Amino acid sequence: MIWKELLNSQRYGATKSINFDPARSPFEMDYDRIIFSYPFRRLQDKTQVFPLPDHDFVHNRLTHSLEVSSVGRSLGKMVGEKILEREKDLALTAADFGSIVAAACLAHDIGNPPFGHSGEKAISEFFLNHVEGRIFESKVTKAEWADLVSFEGNAQGLRLLCHAQNKGLRLTHATLAAFTKYPCQSSFDGKSKEKKSQKKFGFYQTEANIFREVAAATSLKEEIKNIAWARHPLVYLVEAADDTCYHIIDLEDGCRLGWVRYEVARDLLAEIIGDAYKPEKLDELETVEEKMATLRALAINILVGQLTKAFLENEKEILDGTLNADLFSLVPCSATLKQISQLSVAQIYQSRQVIEKEAAGFQVISGLMEAFCSAAYKVHFDDKPGYRDQLVYKLMPSDILLGVQKSETTYQLLRTVLDFISGLTDGHALSLYRNLTGISLPGIRS
């Protein structure tokens, strides 16, 4: 793969070339289109780690995405500067590299459903284990069923970017390729979870041709014809920015909530900071919050430098499509990062408070799946739907109803219903579930 083709600024879906203002690159416009989009705005009420948090300082998907984008921009610019020193024929700037990574980072969680991974599991298990969901297996193809039984936020994100707001955001091919962390479809012979690029999948059957166009436009290395490709090199920076934020900032949130002792968090971050760690300076600060903020900033700064170096040292393998590792495993402090990950799992992600709310979220999404998938199918394909199904059907938004009415297959119909359910915010999903089940009624105080 070569940089000139990888950084293709043509827009997906564009029918003609557009003259751009030289002061505002196509990649900066990608960033702007994402940040002003409706799917991005909904992230403000979607779970990051702490579902429906009682504290306003912990991160939701929106604040997390903004922070990942900030780190990603730094990584992209620093890598871009070094590449441009060598690639003199590239009519780009380091800021262009930064803008592509920043835009892809901004959108990296845009396809996540309510209640995070619990929501993903609830959608998948509806089709796998629920009587009402299992009936659809015989009504779709094998490849379509593989999509349904494994809801994937990355694939849903690509779908949103290409279809949101009617004609999609029309992002550049470079940004769409850098966004696609797993450039393969959900099920095929020879897929290996040992391979980083195939651990999950990056597009549904409905977007397969779209991604093939993106892959061709950026000349991604094809690993299995029309099915799987090597990652776009900038995916490694998007992934690294995300890893940086959830390792460091989730630890900070855990400490603020009292789930991780300050001394433990401090010492782990000090190992990353290394020689730049000055305990005497830290002691001058009065509160734990100030100390953790300082440690967090220093740790992220060190990691950005180490990750940039790791990318450049492995650039040849990355361009060849042969690097089967994430950048986090290649930095000097990888052992400490692994410790932080293990601590976060034990004391944050598996804490009772998180598990209780994830369990509740799972129940909410399961209930919505049963109600809306069944109603949409019965109203659209059955001659005599029940009265409740007719009522539930009418509760879906007009754009979703239009999509259902245009559906020619069961798979298309289910994908449209999943657009609705996965697009709900945590609060809206909970309110809708309560109303559907009679736990509460609109306009009546419980």
Side-chain angles (χ1 to χ4, degrees):
M1 297 181 283
I2 60 174
W3 285 111
K4 186 175 182 179
E5 295 171 354
L6 289 165
L7 305 179
N8 188 331
S9 63
Q10 291 294 105
R11 297 195 173 281
Y12 163 73
T15 56
K16 60 181 180 180
S17 298
I18 301 173
N19 294 321
F20 294 104
D21 183 345
R24 186 167 175 249
S25 79
F27 310 121
E28 290 176 311
M29 292 176 70
D30 284 347
Y31 183 93
D32 295 343
R33 290 181 181 199
I34 294 167
I35 207 166
F36 283 102
S37 69
Y38 181 55
F40 181 76
R41 190 161 65 248
R42 288 188 299 215
L43 296 178
Q44 67 183 313
D45 184 25
K46 285 201 175 185
T47 295
Q48 171 59 17
V49 174
F50 311 94
L52 305 171
D54 298 322
H55 299 77
D56 60 4
F57 57 71
V58 298
H59 292 77
N60 56 34
R61 289 284 176 188
L62 185 72
T63 51
H64 169 72
S65 297
L66 290 168
E67 289 168 345
V68 172
S69 184
S70 178
V71 173
R73 176 177 279 108
S74 296
L75 286 169
K77 288 177 69 175
M78 291 170 71
V79 164
E81 284 177 359
K82 295 299 181 182
I83 290 172
L84 290 172
E85 288 176 6
R86 181 185 71 244
E87 304 275 348
K88 302 294 185 183
D89 62 331
L90 284 179
L92 295 167
T93 66
D96 289 326
F97 282 80
S99 293
I100 295 170
V101 180
C105 286
L106 196 68
H108 83 284
D109 274 349
I110 206 167
N112 282 34
F115 307 106
H117 295 302
S118 181
E120 284 187 319
K121 288 289 187 183
I123 293 172
S124 301
E125 290 197 18
F126 169 74
F127 295 106
L128 276 171
N129 301 323
H130 199 289
V131 174
E132 292 286 343
R134 291 287 305 181
I135 64 171
F136 294 114
E137 184 174 8
S138 62
K139 305 178 188 302
V140 299
T141 68
K142 182 179 178 181
E144 290 168 348
W145 185 246
D147 285 355
L148 293 172
V149 298
S150 184
F151 182 89
E152 177 51 55
N154 293 284
Q156 185 66 25
L158 183 67
R159 180 173 167 83
L160 282 175
L161 294 176
C162 295
H163 298 302
Q165 297 166 199
N166 296 323
K167 296 182 180 180
L169 302 185
R170 294 197 173 183
L171 305 181
T172 62
H173 288 116
T175 294
L176 289 172
F179 166 84
T180 308
K181 191 174 178 180
Y182 306 103
C184 63
Q185 68 179 41
S186 59
S187 179
F188 59 90
D189 293 337
K191 185 175 182 180
S192 172
K193 288 194 175 183
E194 297 301 315
K195 194 164 190 175
K196 293 288 183 181
S197 62
Q198 295 177 13
K199 184 179 178 182
K200 299 181 182 179
F201 63 97
F203 54 87
Y204 295 123
Q205 293 301 307
T206 43
E207 286 70 53
N209 287 333
I210 291 175
F211 186 75
R212 287 169 190 142
E213 177 185 322
V214 170
T218 53
S219 296
L220 296 186
K221 180 181 177 180
E222 198 169 33
E223 296 182 334
I224 301 176
K225 188 172 179 60
N226 286 327
I227 290 175
W229 292 259
R231 285 175 160 184
H232 189 288
L234 296 184
V235 167
Y236 289 91
L237 299 182
V238 175
E239 181 180 54
D242 187 24
D243 288 347
T244 296
C245 288
Y246 81 72
H247 274 79
I248 306 303
I249 296 174
D250 285 359
L251 182 66
E252 180 186 13
D253 278 350
C255 184
R256 282 172 172 263
L257 288 170
W259 298 356
V260 177
R261 286 197 307 116
Y262 163 69
E263 292 77 12
V264 172
R266 177 199 62 198
D267 292 347
L268 285 168
L269 294 179
E271 289 183 29
I272 296 173
I273 296 166
D275 293 341
Y277 176 59
K278 307 294 182 185
E280 66 280 3
K281 293 286 186 181
L282 202 63
D283 290 340
E284 293 175 3
L285 301 174
E286 294 183 359
T287 67
V288 168
E289 287 76 15
E290 289 176 302
K291 293 176 181 180
M292 283 301 299
T294 300
L295 290 166
R296 175 246 301 152
L298 290 169
I300 289 177
N301 184 57
I302 293 295
L303 275 173
V304 166
Q306 291 185 0
L307 290 164
T308 299
K309 184 179 180 182
F311 182 95
L312 295 169
E313 287 177 345
N314 292 275
E315 184 186 355
K316 183 181 184 304
E317 290 173 87
I318 290 171
L319 290 172
D320 288 342
T322 57
L323 183 66
N324 189 35
D326 56 72
L327 296 182
F328 252 46
S329 66
L330 303 175
V331 296
C333 59
S334 60
T336 302
L337 293 168
K338 188 174 182 179
Q339 281 184 273
I340 291 175
S341 179
Q342 291 170 343
L343 176 72
S344 295
V345 168
Q347 298 189 27
I348 300 175
Y349 309 143
Q350 294 298 318
S351 67
R352 183 176 182 84
Q353 296 95 319
V354 169
I355 290 174
E356 284 177 344
K357 290 180 178 179
E358 285 191 348
F362 186 96
Q363 180 63 35
V364 167
I365 299 303
S366 295
L368 296 179
M369 288 291 293
E370 179 181 357
F372 287 105
C373 289
S374 298
Y377 179 81
K378 290 173 182 176
V379 170
H380 189 61
F381 287 118
D382 283 1
D383 292 332
K384 296 180 179 180
Y387 183 62
R388 182 177 186 273
D389 290 321
Q390 294 179 56
L391 293 176
V392 171
Y393 178 82
K394 293 175 182 177
L395 290 176
M396 290 189 289
S398 58
D399 60 326
I400 298 296
L401 287 174
L402 183 61
V404 168
Q405 291 158 7
K406 289 181 177 180
S407 297
E408 297 179 359
T409 67
T410 299
Y411 178 69
Q412 290 173 349
L413 179 144
L414 292 172
R415 279 262 71 90
T416 302
V417 176
L418 290 178
D419 289 344
F420 167 55
I421 294 175
S422 66
L424 295 170
T425 63
D426 291 10
H428 188 184
L430 181 58
S431 174
L432 189 56
Y433 175 76
R434 285 172 170 168
N435 291 339
L436 278 175
T437 55
I439 294 173
S440 64
L441 293 173
I444 299 177
R445 298 179 67 178
S446 57

